[in-house]
Amino acid sequence: MRKILVFAVILTALQCACANASAQEKSGKEENGIVGRLVHLLFHPDVKYDTLYIGRPWGNWAFSLNENMMQHHYNLVIDGKSNPISNELTTSTGIGVAYRGVGAVVSVNFKKVNGKTDDKDFGLRLLGNRFSTEIRSFNVGNLHNTRFNTEMSGNNHLKGVSVNFYYTFNNKRFSYPAGFSFSKVQKRSAGSVIAIMSFYHDDLWLGHDDEFYQNTLALMHPNYGQHAIPRDSITDVLSGGTTRYLSLGAGYAYNWVLKSWLIHVSIEPSLMVWNERTVSVSDVHYSRETNAEKFDIEIRSRDYRVPYSLLDFCCSGMASISYSWKRGYVAAYYTTTMSHISLRDMDEIIGGRSRSIYRTVKARLCIGCRF
């Protein structure tokens, strides 16, 4: 509920900003001051586009039904051997409403309502012909090994936030909103070079807590109830890590128009101009007295900073297909973001030459009507 309220406040502010910028243009008055110019630059819905290529859809209001899917994939590659983990596919059903291109989608995850998952996801996306912004936060658990299809500790999590800024150079003829928010109509095929700046932060924990090691040690010492176990240890156990980076890049996007159909494809590779990657390992010291019910466990964690590499990069990609008519549309789109970070100087700690590959995928099916 708190996130919905925050979203509503932000949305209201943006609606006011757009209305204010639009009113200023209609009155023929220029914005006064830095704040006014910034509002006009970022949020003005129509900045002198070519009406032979871009147009407004019919009506001021739009309502939509949406089915959303999202999944996170994390892969640690050690000496060429893949160790992939991911969360369960998250699905939600949403209802959207928009006025003149500014709107909101409220989605419900029925698994969460039924208590079958604690995964959380919140997103805010503003698409314009010139500037586009996407902000997303997430907190997912129930990670499992997809290579062997085995479950991991139940207390693991992957949580973080990502922020993407896009600038469209050919903003007079190419429209991002036409393929995703449907607040514009692409009349003729057109493409554009896209500049992108991204910030990303996550925290991965594999759930190696006291309960996990109690179960692990019970398997290692199946006859521990019959005799005492002297103090021993398990060292250099990978327990998680954190990732932060800032990237800059450029790519290309294209809208292909075929009568009432629109197909969008875009890709934007980026280089990390700054990153901080930390690998966390644990030393587990344990012992057990005769007839004791549990092991006496002490977990000592250490963090290692991964050196920056000029070859670290990330890449975003989007694709959509939609069919529109005067009073409505049906559409499907897919977006993905991946990052590649070389874990330099971590050979002895992790057990070989390694790198991490993270990927998130999002998809949406929607049907909308206009009034």
Side-chain angles (χ1 to χ4, degrees):
M1 179 62 69
R2 183 178 300 175
K3 290 183 177 180
I4 295 176
L5 291 176
V6 172
F7 185 91
V9 170
I10 295 174
L11 176 62
T12 303
L14 292 176
Q15 286 178 314
C16 293
C18 290
N20 179 54
S22 180
Q24 287 176 355
E25 184 186 56
K26 290 179 180 179
S27 64
K29 297 180 180 179
E30 295 183 354
E31 295 81 356
N32 295 321
I34 297 177
V35 175
R37 292 189 180 94
L38 183 61
V39 168
H40 180 80
L41 181 64
L42 293 177
F43 301 119
H44 196 286
D46 300 306
V47 185
K48 294 183 179 180
Y49 55 77
D50 189 337
T51 56
L52 293 177
Y53 284 81
I54 302 173
R56 280 185 175 276
W58 182 85
N60 291 326
W61 288 91
F63 295 88
S64 63
L65 294 176
N66 310 275
E67 186 68 19
N68 310 291
M69 291 154 279
M70 185 172 185
Q71 193 168 30
H72 300 263
H73 302 265
Y74 223 113
N75 191 8
L76 180 63
V77 182
I78 304 175
D79 286 339
K81 295 182 179 180
S82 178
N83 299 275
I85 60 174
S86 70
N87 69 311
E88 295 291 340
L89 179 66
T90 300
T91 60
S92 61
T93 302
I95 299 176
V97 59
Y99 177 74
R100 295 179 67 85
V102 180
V105 176
V106 178
S107 300
V108 177
N109 185 337
F110 290 103
K111 286 186 178 180
K112 185 175 180 64
V113 173
N114 294 330
K116 296 181 179 180
T117 180
D118 292 326
D119 290 357
K120 300 176 183 178
D121 181 74
F122 172 74
L124 173 64
R125 185 171 61 180
L126 304 173
L127 298 178
N129 284 350
R130 181 183 296 175
F131 286 97
S132 298
T133 305
E134 182 180 31
I135 303 172
R136 183 166 296 276
S137 66
F138 56 88
N139 187 347
V140 300
N142 299 319
L143 303 174
H144 62 279
N145 188 303
T146 56
R147 179 182 179 186
F148 301 104
N149 196 25
T150 56
E151 295 184 357
M152 301 172 61
S153 163
N155 297 320
N156 53 56
H157 68 246
L158 173 65
K159 57 184 179 180
V161 60
S162 63
V163 183
N164 298 317
F165 298 97
Y166 303 89
Y167 180 81
T168 304
F169 286 89
N170 188 19
N171 49 72
K172 295 182 179 180
R173 294 186 174 184
F174 171 85
S175 175
Y176 252 138
F180 293 94
S181 66
F182 314 105
S183 58
K184 293 290 187 296
V185 175
Q186 187 81 44
K187 297 180 180 180
R188 296 184 179 181
S189 300
S192 177
V193 174
I194 307 292
I196 179 173
M197 179 175 68
S198 300
F199 171 79
Y200 177 83
H201 165 77
D202 75 23
D203 177 20
L204 173 66
W205 187 53
L206 299 179
H208 296 169
D209 55 9
D210 186 88
E211 180 181 356
F212 171 82
Y213 285 113
Q214 291 287 351
N215 296 330
T216 301
L217 292 171
L219 295 174
M220 293 174 57
H221 303 277
N223 299 320
Y224 72 90
Q226 301 176 6
H227 55 82
I229 296 177
R231 188 171 179 82
D232 201 348
S233 64
I234 306 173
T235 60
D236 294 336
V237 180
L238 182 66
S239 57
T242 61
T243 303
R244 302 183 186 90
Y245 67 75
L246 178 68
S247 66
L248 297 174
Y252 192 79
Y254 192 80
N255 282 343
W256 181 41
V257 179
L258 181 62
K259 294 184 178 180
S260 297
W261 290 92
L262 174 64
I263 299 175
H264 169 95
V265 178
S266 62
I267 184 169
E268 295 94 15
S270 305
L271 288 177
M272 296 181 188
V273 295
W274 168 84
N275 71 29
E276 286 186 354
R277 179 65 196 269
T278 301
V279 173
S280 299
V281 298
S282 298
D283 293 334
V284 183
H285 301 274
Y286 65 93
S287 63
R288 193 199 64 80
E289 297 181 359
T290 305
N291 298 324
E293 294 184 357
K294 293 184 177 181
F295 289 87
D296 181 17
I297 296 177
E298 180 185 3
I299 303 174
R300 300 176 183 175
S301 299
R302 308 187 308 277
D303 293 335
Y304 291 93
R305 176 77 175 272
V306 179
Y308 171 76
S309 173
L310 292 174
L311 299 180
D312 293 340
F313 68 93
C314 54
C315 186
S316 297
M318 293 184 278
S320 74
I321 181 170
S322 59
Y323 180 83
S324 301
W325 61 96
K326 180 178 179 180
R327 293 181 179 270
Y329 58 88
V330 291
Y333 65 77
Y334 173 92
T335 65
T336 182
T337 302
M338 66 82 65
S339 64
H340 175 282
I341 297 179
S342 174
L343 303 181
R344 294 174 53 199
D345 300 341
M346 296 290 111
D347 297 15
E348 294 184 2
I349 298 170
I350 297 180
R353 186 176 180 181
S354 56
R355 55 196 174 97
S356 68
I357 302 173
Y358 167 73
R359 182 168 60 95
T360 178
V361 295
K362 295 171 286 184
R364 172 176 289 183
L365 304 174
C366 60
I367 180 170
C369 56
R370 301 185 178 105
F371 297 93

